[in-house]
Amino acid sequence: MVGHDMSWASFHVLEVMSSPKYAQKRVGYLGAVQSFRADTEVLMLATNLLKKDLSAAAPTVMSLPIATLPHVITPSLALSTLADLLPRLGHSHANIRKKTLVTLYRLALVYPEALRAAWPRIKERLMDADEDPSVTAAIVNVVCELGWRRPHDFLPLAPRLFELLVDGGNNWMAIKLIKLFATLTPLEPRLAKKLLPPLTNIIRTTPAMSLLYECINGIIQGGILGSADDTDTEEIATLCVNKLRGMIIMNGDPNLKYVALLAFNKIVLTHPYLVSQQEDVILECIDSPDITIRIQALDLVQGMVTSDNLVSIVSRLMKQLKAATAPKGKLEAAALDLADASADSDEEAQQAVNAAANKNAMPLPEDYRIDVIGRILFMSAKDNYANIVDFDWYIDVLTQLVRMTPVPRLADGDWEAAANKRSAAGVSEKIGNELRNVAVKVRAMRHSVLRASESILSQLIADTPAGHFITAEALKSVAWLLGEYSDILSAPDDMMNALLQLTTRTAKPDVAAVVVYAIAKVFASSTGSESELWTAERKSRTSLLLARILHSMEPLTLNPSLEVQERAVEFTELLKLTAEAASGQPASTDEESQDPPLLLTQAIPSLFNGGELTSVAAGAQLNVPIPDGLDLDEPIHPNLNRLLAKADIVTLDADDADEFEVYYHQRPAPTSVSSSAPAISLLAEADENVGGSYQQPSEDSYLDADIVARRKAERIERNKDDPFYIGGTNGPHTSNSIHNILQNSNGPDLDIDAIPVMQLDLDKLSGPTPTTAHRPAAKPRQRVVIAADETLQGGASGDRSPRNYDSENNSDSMAARGKARKLKQSLLQVDSSTIGALSLEGEPSGGFDHEQQQREEAEMQQAMREVERLRLEMQRANERIQVAQGVDVEGAVVKKKKKKKPTTTTTTTGEGETVVKKKKKVKKVASSPEDGTAGENVTVGGGGDAEVGVVAPKKKKKVKKQPVAEAEGVDTGE
């Protein structure tokens, strides 16, 4: 019972099980339950004992093997004990019948044919209206467990099951029946309308939360919400949603909250508008201390998001992430300030510090934060950004998410940290991909995306200490955006300096390859103007820039990555030619104008001035037909592995030891206080909870101070000419363009009559005003054009399903095959997949039939009895023959003499020849004066004739012993 191994005592346990005393037998069976397993060696010795106790007269003794069999059952043991268990279904005690039913279900898991043999009797017990309620509940439990595997076999039982549901009165049996009807309703649609009244009655009247949830879950699983008419469907759906809302609000049990959110996740698929009305309750669950409730709430808000509530939901999640990623020192400082302002004693100050720390610093696991970021991206990009009304807000959210993405440190041998690092890198790459998608699809937002990319790159370089690599995976997409749209950069020189720093501060080969191209594109955009004169200033600036680029790219020409090495070598050689052409081209003077080198103005820009890149559907590549003769599994080079192994051996020497180069040619690392950050970021942060709204959190609560200040400045600049916009009170009040127009048109005196007056129809406003609270007016949607994904033959991305090529390198097909090989295990660690292929009606599908086996066993037993009868008759006949051999004609009985060891005698014949012969039986007979045989040995032969001194040529058969009188008569010739 405490977990110690007692396999050594298995035989002793078996001995105690066979005790005639019930107290000892019970202890022995308890030891067998806890120690015996399917591979226990002495289990085969217990088969006869189990069969014997199953046939016992006492119910207490009979219950012991019935309760033990489910724990030690094997296929062979199930086959041996099935015939003894089936009669127990008709036992007079209800407890025995109930235990037998549960044991038969366990037998069916390891020996499915037992279910076919037991099903007629189980069905008979279920249909019996006078059966004990506990037995009926046990049958319903077994049928429910078997129903989801083969529901067709149990559909004829629906009338009886419906009767038990209505008149049962047992909550646990009602739960099982509802689960069973949920599997039967898809097979018989008429059941949905039949079940709706009793289920609705249970939902409205039952005080049991478990039964309430199972009723709602049964309605959802059975498809009742979508099978009845519209009126009934809306009524029952509204009732279920209201009950689930009450389970979350009225009960503080986290288990009820969890199951209520599970039900909401299923209802939202058919009635999303009803679930969206419970937004306040669901958003409250996002901040629950239970992480599982948070995840279920995230699943729910992800399914019910619309254009009206996207901003509120994302703002709530962003506020949560920012609170979890806030620096520890800032939280402690805020707590200390709160303590100094509100406490008068040391004890009160400590309590205030603890309360503030518990309120602000809510620990969130990294995997949860990564999951939240992924859900924010999914909700925002859903249906090709159909829910986004303000792309400027979305770009600022992406910028903030890059800063809040966790970057775990990898320790040696820490596999969990390695997995978290891969997940964090993946979500950071997704954020960068979203920035790129917005820039590619929404042309009007490219300037905003480029400004955000510049901010992200500057922030990553400033936050990473000198000598450390920048590990953010979003850097790849940011560098691609800076290079692809370099013609609209606000500060090309600063971005060129940042990109040149990345050549030595990134450890990812794919990021380095993109940075090389970005540097070339920015260089071509900034120096390839044909309209600008080739002045001495431009010549010197171009030469210095080329020198810096060549110096930064020189180490990349020896990079272990072949892709990075190839790109660096190509552009290094091209830029060397460009540097020679720029130095050889004289500068323009006042007398003579010179054109820039053609390498700068035409050759290099022509490499990147092609067609505009557009987004491609995810499955477009799979729709490309494979050319004839192309084998995708064939290696590109027969010795590719050896070539790659040689490339891995190449090592690069670090240049960190060159202090002169570091001092004069590298920019020093920024301090903790960035000079580029706005002054507002240096001030103390205000309390997030003051003036905040529950449904619409302010941008200050989840965006950094520099982003908020920039958005505020843009908003003021955008609305400065709006007469209905109330600006701030800090700046001077200047008249806008509308005031100027009125003043110029009317002169110094304003003409009041020139002001247009709108006619108001007061009759239309005479109706009663609604008293219900309405949702605030939605923000007008930003008028932008979002490009769709391109695919082959002009179809949308979802029109055609991509082909799944069967290849050994196809990971999807390998995963599918691996999943198919995985067997389904039940909670009892038994493979129950064979029950699904077992039909309870009709002929057996396999070659085994329990009834046929019973008939064959009966015939075999009858034949054995016949053989035994014949054997006994033959034995009795043989005994009569053997008795008859010792009785003479008159009926006198003589005793048999014991066999003596044969002796040898020597006889001399008349010719003087000596013969040695074996004498079997020699009798000494009396001599008479007249026979002349006195003193001679006489041998009694088989035929009654005496032979004296005659050599026997062969062994003679045994003959019956004769009486002495008869032998004398033969010898004397009488």
Short mmCIF file of all heavy atoms in Angstrom, two decimals, residues 55 269 272 304 308 311 358 408 477 541 560 623 626 665 697 709 773 779 835 845 851 865 889 938 953:
data_model
loop_
_atom_site.label_atom_id
_atom_site.label_comp_id
_atom_site.label_asym_id
_atom_site.label_seq_id
_atom_site.Cartn_x
_atom_site.Cartn_y
_atom_site.Cartn_z
N SER A 55 -18.16 -19.54 -7.71
CA SER A 55 -19.31 -20.45 -7.55
C SER A 55 -19.68 -20.68 -6.10
O SER A 55 -20.49 -21.57 -5.80
CB SER A 55 -18.98 -21.79 -8.21
OG SER A 55 -18.64 -21.63 -9.57
N LEU A 269 -18.82 28.94 -31.61
CA LEU A 269 -18.75 28.49 -33.00
C LEU A 269 -20.08 28.63 -33.72
O LEU A 269 -20.11 28.84 -34.94
CB LEU A 269 -18.29 27.02 -33.04
CG LEU A 269 -16.93 26.72 -32.42
CD1 LEU A 269 -16.63 25.24 -32.47
CD2 LEU A 269 -15.84 27.51 -33.14
N PRO A 272 -21.76 33.28 -32.06
CA PRO A 272 -20.72 34.20 -31.57
C PRO A 272 -21.28 35.50 -31.02
O PRO A 272 -20.69 36.09 -30.11
CB PRO A 272 -19.85 34.43 -32.81
CG PRO A 272 -20.74 34.13 -33.97
CD PRO A 272 -21.68 33.07 -33.51
N MET A 304 -14.15 35.22 -30.57
CA MET A 304 -15.26 36.17 -30.62
C MET A 304 -14.80 37.58 -30.98
O MET A 304 -15.58 38.53 -30.86
CB MET A 304 -15.97 36.22 -29.26
CG MET A 304 -15.17 36.86 -28.16
SD MET A 304 -16.11 36.93 -26.62
CE MET A 304 -15.13 38.12 -25.70
N ASP A 308 -15.16 45.78 -33.58
CA ASP A 308 -15.57 46.67 -32.51
C ASP A 308 -14.81 46.43 -31.21
O ASP A 308 -14.56 47.38 -30.45
CB ASP A 308 -17.07 46.52 -32.25
CG ASP A 308 -17.90 46.93 -33.45
OD1 ASP A 308 -17.43 47.77 -34.23
OD2 ASP A 308 -19.00 46.37 -33.63
N VAL A 311 -9.70 46.39 -30.34
CA VAL A 311 -8.81 47.33 -29.64
C VAL A 311 -8.89 47.10 -28.14
O VAL A 311 -7.85 47.09 -27.45
CB VAL A 311 -9.19 48.77 -30.01
CG1 VAL A 311 -8.35 49.76 -29.22
CG2 VAL A 311 -9.00 49.01 -31.50
N ASN A 358 2.61 42.95 -4.77
CA ASN A 358 1.68 41.91 -5.17
C ASN A 358 0.72 42.39 -6.25
O ASN A 358 0.28 41.62 -7.10
CB ASN A 358 0.89 41.41 -3.96
CG ASN A 358 1.78 40.73 -2.94
OD1 ASN A 358 2.82 40.18 -3.29
ND2 ASN A 358 1.37 40.78 -1.68
N PRO A 408 15.06 34.49 -23.41
CA PRO A 408 15.66 33.70 -22.33
C PRO A 408 17.13 33.42 -22.59
O PRO A 408 17.57 33.33 -23.75
CB PRO A 408 14.84 32.41 -22.34
CG PRO A 408 14.32 32.30 -23.73
CD PRO A 408 14.12 33.70 -24.21
N SER A 477 13.31 40.75 -40.64
CA SER A 477 12.28 41.48 -41.39
C SER A 477 12.52 42.98 -41.35
O SER A 477 12.24 43.68 -42.34
CB SER A 477 10.90 41.16 -40.81
OG SER A 477 10.61 39.78 -40.95
N ARG A 541 32.04 62.28 -50.00
CA ARG A 541 31.09 61.55 -49.17
C ARG A 541 30.88 60.11 -49.67
O ARG A 541 30.82 59.16 -48.89
CB ARG A 541 29.75 62.30 -49.16
CG ARG A 541 28.73 61.71 -48.20
CD ARG A 541 27.47 62.55 -48.13
NE ARG A 541 26.73 62.54 -49.38
CZ ARG A 541 26.60 63.57 -50.21
NH1 ARG A 541 27.18 64.75 -49.87
NH2 ARG A 541 25.91 63.49 -51.33
N PRO A 560 31.39 31.36 -42.24
CA PRO A 560 31.17 29.92 -42.49
C PRO A 560 29.91 29.64 -43.31
O PRO A 560 29.85 28.63 -44.00
CB PRO A 560 31.03 29.33 -41.07
CG PRO A 560 31.72 30.32 -40.19
CD PRO A 560 31.51 31.65 -40.80
N ASN A 623 1.20 24.24 -55.56
CA ASN A 623 0.41 24.08 -56.77
C ASN A 623 1.26 24.11 -58.05
O ASN A 623 0.72 23.93 -59.14
CB ASN A 623 -0.64 25.19 -56.85
CG ASN A 623 -1.72 25.03 -55.80
OD1 ASN A 623 -2.03 23.92 -55.38
ND2 ASN A 623 -2.30 26.13 -55.36
N ILE A 626 5.37 19.64 -60.91
CA ILE A 626 6.75 19.18 -60.94
C ILE A 626 7.13 18.81 -62.36
O ILE A 626 6.41 18.04 -63.02
CB ILE A 626 6.94 17.98 -60.00
CG1 ILE A 626 6.61 18.38 -58.57
CG2 ILE A 626 8.36 17.43 -60.10
CD1 ILE A 626 6.77 17.25 -57.58
N HIS A 665 37.39 54.06 -34.76
CA HIS A 665 36.47 53.77 -35.86
C HIS A 665 35.15 53.17 -35.44
O HIS A 665 34.29 52.97 -36.29
CB HIS A 665 37.14 52.82 -36.87
CG HIS A 665 38.35 53.40 -37.53
ND1 HIS A 665 38.27 54.30 -38.58
CD2 HIS A 665 39.67 53.22 -37.28
CE1 HIS A 665 39.48 54.64 -38.96
NE2 HIS A 665 40.36 54.00 -38.19
N PRO A 697 -8.75 50.42 -22.02
CA PRO A 697 -7.55 50.91 -21.33
C PRO A 697 -6.85 51.98 -22.15
O PRO A 697 -6.82 51.92 -23.39
CB PRO A 697 -6.69 49.65 -21.20
CG PRO A 697 -7.63 48.51 -21.41
CD PRO A 697 -8.68 49.00 -22.32
N ALA A 709 4.05 59.62 -26.77
CA ALA A 709 4.34 61.01 -27.09
C ALA A 709 4.30 61.27 -28.59
O ALA A 709 3.79 62.29 -29.05
CB ALA A 709 5.71 61.40 -26.52
N ALA A 773 -28.31 51.24 -22.10
CA ALA A 773 -26.98 51.75 -22.45
C ALA A 773 -26.53 51.13 -23.75
O ALA A 773 -26.69 49.93 -23.97
CB ALA A 773 -25.98 51.42 -21.33
N LYS A 779 -15.05 53.60 -33.91
CA LYS A 779 -14.10 54.48 -34.57
C LYS A 779 -14.18 54.28 -36.07
O LYS A 779 -14.24 53.13 -36.55
CB LYS A 779 -12.69 54.17 -34.06
CG LYS A 779 -11.66 55.17 -34.54
CD LYS A 779 -10.31 54.85 -33.92
CE LYS A 779 -9.28 55.87 -34.38
NZ LYS A 779 -7.96 55.60 -33.77
N ILE A 835 -12.52 -2.80 -29.27
CA ILE A 835 -13.95 -2.80 -28.98
C ILE A 835 -14.73 -2.07 -30.06
O ILE A 835 -15.86 -2.41 -30.37
CB ILE A 835 -14.20 -2.18 -27.59
CG1 ILE A 835 -13.50 -3.01 -26.51
CG2 ILE A 835 -15.68 -2.08 -27.28
CD1 ILE A 835 -13.72 -2.50 -25.12
N SER A 845 -17.91 -10.96 -36.72
CA SER A 845 -17.09 -10.64 -37.89
C SER A 845 -15.86 -11.51 -37.98
O SER A 845 -15.35 -11.77 -39.06
CB SER A 845 -16.66 -9.16 -37.81
OG SER A 845 -15.96 -8.92 -36.60
N GLU A 851 -21.15 -18.58 -28.42
CA GLU A 851 -22.22 -19.58 -28.36
C GLU A 851 -21.79 -20.88 -29.04
O GLU A 851 -22.07 -21.98 -28.55
CB GLU A 851 -23.47 -19.02 -29.02
CG GLU A 851 -24.04 -17.80 -28.29
CD GLU A 851 -25.26 -17.26 -28.98
OE1 GLU A 851 -25.60 -17.80 -30.06
OE2 GLU A 851 -25.87 -16.31 -28.45
N ARG A 865 -17.95 -38.08 -21.48
CA ARG A 865 -18.71 -38.97 -20.61
C ARG A 865 -18.93 -40.34 -21.27
O ARG A 865 -18.89 -41.39 -20.61
CB ARG A 865 -20.05 -38.32 -20.27
CG ARG A 865 -19.95 -37.16 -19.28
CD ARG A 865 -21.31 -36.79 -18.72
NE ARG A 865 -22.18 -36.29 -19.78
CZ ARG A 865 -22.28 -34.99 -20.09
NH1 ARG A 865 -21.54 -34.09 -19.44
NH2 ARG A 865 -23.12 -34.61 -21.03
N VAL A 889 -13.35 -76.28 -12.72
CA VAL A 889 -14.72 -76.62 -13.16
C VAL A 889 -15.65 -76.78 -11.98
O VAL A 889 -16.79 -76.38 -12.00
CB VAL A 889 -14.68 -77.93 -14.00
CG1 VAL A 889 -16.09 -78.27 -14.48
CG2 VAL A 889 -13.74 -77.73 -15.17
N VAL A 938 10.66 -85.81 -13.17
CA VAL A 938 9.59 -85.81 -14.16
C VAL A 938 9.19 -84.37 -14.41
O VAL A 938 8.92 -83.61 -13.48
CB VAL A 938 8.37 -86.62 -13.67
CG1 VAL A 938 7.28 -86.59 -14.71
CG2 VAL A 938 8.79 -88.05 -13.36
N PRO A 953 13.48 -77.80 -28.17
CA PRO A 953 14.04 -77.00 -29.27
C PRO A 953 13.62 -75.54 -29.20
O PRO A 953 14.28 -74.69 -29.77
CB PRO A 953 13.48 -77.67 -30.51
CG PRO A 953 12.21 -78.33 -30.04
CD PRO A 953 12.46 -78.75 -28.63
#
